[in-house]
Amino acid sequence: MKDSPARHLALQGASNFRDLGGYPTTDGRTTRWRHIFRSNHLGQLTAADIEIVRALGVRSAFDFRGLQERAAGVCVVNEITVHSLPIEPTVVAALRAELARGTLTAPVALELMRESYRNYVRHNTHSFRNLFGHLLEDRAPLVIHCTAGKDRTGFASALILHALGVADDVIAEDYLLTNQHYKRDATAAIDLPEDVRNAIGSVEASYLAAAFEAVGKDYGDIETYLRDGLKLGTVERTALKERYLQA
């Protein structure tokens, strides 16, 4: 694997820009390199970053940020068409409400993070369904992102890898790579305690597990969620694999 492309591209303005290629699947194939990228937002890319992204050939971005988030960080790569799949952020507002009540602790923050992941399934499945519709239509290379590229993007990336047949432990490893690469905004949510900021500024296995716990509760299992929640039948799954897997 020493000749494989770099998974993490060290951009100055998007620290969490990563490739979903090179992962083995249960049917003996591998996810294609340089087809699907995941990232934090593309509103602070430097001129050098923009040249790197252009060289990758990225032409489409799928943006899970809410309205105010998008306005604060518009994509700076002119060639990229941005498709908005909004999931409004809720965690920081909930944390501040706990702070005002005097009940905010790190364990409370962790549970609020887990609840936000459960709500991706309960309330935002339509956005992930729309993402897969685009993946079946848009020409790669493409990038999926939110603000930090760790939560909404993390769950979306896990769903993509599941749909392509990547094993659970590999999916978990990809998800946790955020903790190696993401550089937090030191000025964000500075009114919150440091241990709380640590909880919301990183990822934990329990966050992703909470989302799949909600999948199990509402749909029975991940395969049923892919079929009934995300509308990925046999034809769609086959088409995804043909597009994003290699022998």
Side-chain angles (χ1 to χ4, degrees):
M1 295 296 289
K2 63 181 180 180
D3 295 323
S4 297
R7 180 167 306 287
H8 175 246
L9 288 88
L11 305 182
Q12 292 298 306
S15 62
N16 207 16
F17 195 104
R18 312 195 321 251
D19 194 325
L20 288 182
Y23 288 131
T25 64
T26 54
D27 63 359
R29 292 192 279 179
T30 306
T31 57
R32 290 185 187 273
W33 286 103
R34 298 306 190 244
H35 274 55
I36 302 177
F37 298 93
R38 53 170 296 177
S39 182
N40 41 332
H41 78 85
L42 307 178
Q44 296 178 337
L45 299 183
T46 66
D49 294 338
I50 291 171
E51 291 308 309
I52 291 170
V53 173
R54 282 177 174 155
L56 293 171
V58 176
R59 291 293 181 270
S60 296
F62 302 99
D63 183 355
F64 287 108
R65 294 178 300 168
L67 184 62
Q68 292 185 349
E69 292 174 286
R70 292 199 309 276
V74 176
C75 177
V76 295
V77 186
N78 293 333
E79 297 90 337
I80 291 180
T81 299
V82 179
H83 303 270
S84 179
L85 305 172
I87 298 175
E88 292 292 341
T90 59
V91 172
V92 172
L95 291 170
R96 286 179 173 143
E98 296 283 351
L99 182 64
R101 287 192 290 268
T103 53
L104 182 58
T105 63
V108 167
L110 291 170
E111 183 53 31
L112 284 171
M113 286 296 298
R114 288 188 282 266
E115 186 68 4
S116 73
Y117 274 70
R118 296 182 190 107
N119 286 336
Y120 295 157
V121 177
R122 295 169 182 157
H123 305 310
N124 297 288
T125 286
H126 60 280
S127 288
F128 300 105
R129 183 187 309 131
N130 288 340
L131 170 65
F132 279 97
H134 284 294
L135 292 178
L136 286 163
E137 295 174 2
D138 273 80
R139 189 181 302 276
L142 52 89
V143 61
I144 298 157
H145 74 88
C146 49
T147 292
K150 68 184 191 68
D151 299 313
R152 291 162 288 190
T153 298
F155 183 52
S157 298
L159 291 175
I160 291 168
L161 295 176
H162 266 296
L164 293 174
V166 175
D168 290 354
D169 60 334
V170 178
I171 292 171
E173 288 175 12
D174 177 81
Y175 173 75
L176 292 171
L177 282 177
T178 282
N179 290 338
Q180 294 182 33
H181 301 300
Y182 176 56
K183 293 182 174 64
R184 284 188 276 160
D185 180 355
T187 65
I190 56 174
D191 56 315
L192 299 176
E194 182 64 21
D195 57 351
V196 170
R197 294 174 68 205
N198 288 338
I200 65 173
S202 59
V203 292
E204 288 204 0
S206 70
Y207 299 168
L208 191 59
F212 288 114
E213 172 190 300
V215 165
K217 184 174 182 179
D218 291 355
Y219 292 87
D221 56 41
I222 182 63
E223 292 299 317
T224 304
Y225 182 62
L226 293 173
R227 186 192 69 210
D228 296 348
L230 302 180
K231 306 305 179 186
L232 295 175
T234 301
V235 170
E236 290 79 13
R237 291 284 291 277
T238 299
L240 275 177
K241 290 179 178 181
E242 288 304 309
R243 179 169 290 204
Y244 297 112
L245 296 182
Q246 61 190 28

